[in-house]
Amino acid sequence: ALNPATAQVQVSFLTNAIPTTIEILDAKGRLLRTWPVNGQRSVVLDLNGLSVGLHLLRASGTGGVFTERLIVY
């Protein structure tokens, strides 16, 4: 599912496999930003300065890698 956002997005983790980092990539897979998770179940990401369009949100850690599409408008 596509997730639209403007200035920020809140990411919540519903399982015990909380990732260690969250990354935003552009549509071509280039890394734009990285946030540490620090064991938090919910993280608010600042999207200011990202270009309008399709991005990928990637959460990774010991539980694996999860990628979701994110639309910035």
Side-chain angles (χ1 to χ4, degrees), residues 15-51:
T15 68
N16 289 332
I18 297 174
T20 54
T21 60
I22 297 176
E23 300 169 323
I24 297 286
L25 300 95
D26 68 12
K28 294 182 180 180
R30 294 179 293 217
L31 180 63
L32 302 176
R33 295 204 185 148
T34 302
W35 290 269
V37 176
N38 299 324
Q40 302 170 76
R41 284 211 164 284
S42 182
V43 179
V44 176
L45 309 178
D46 179 7
L47 304 178
N48 286 309
L50 290 179
S51 61

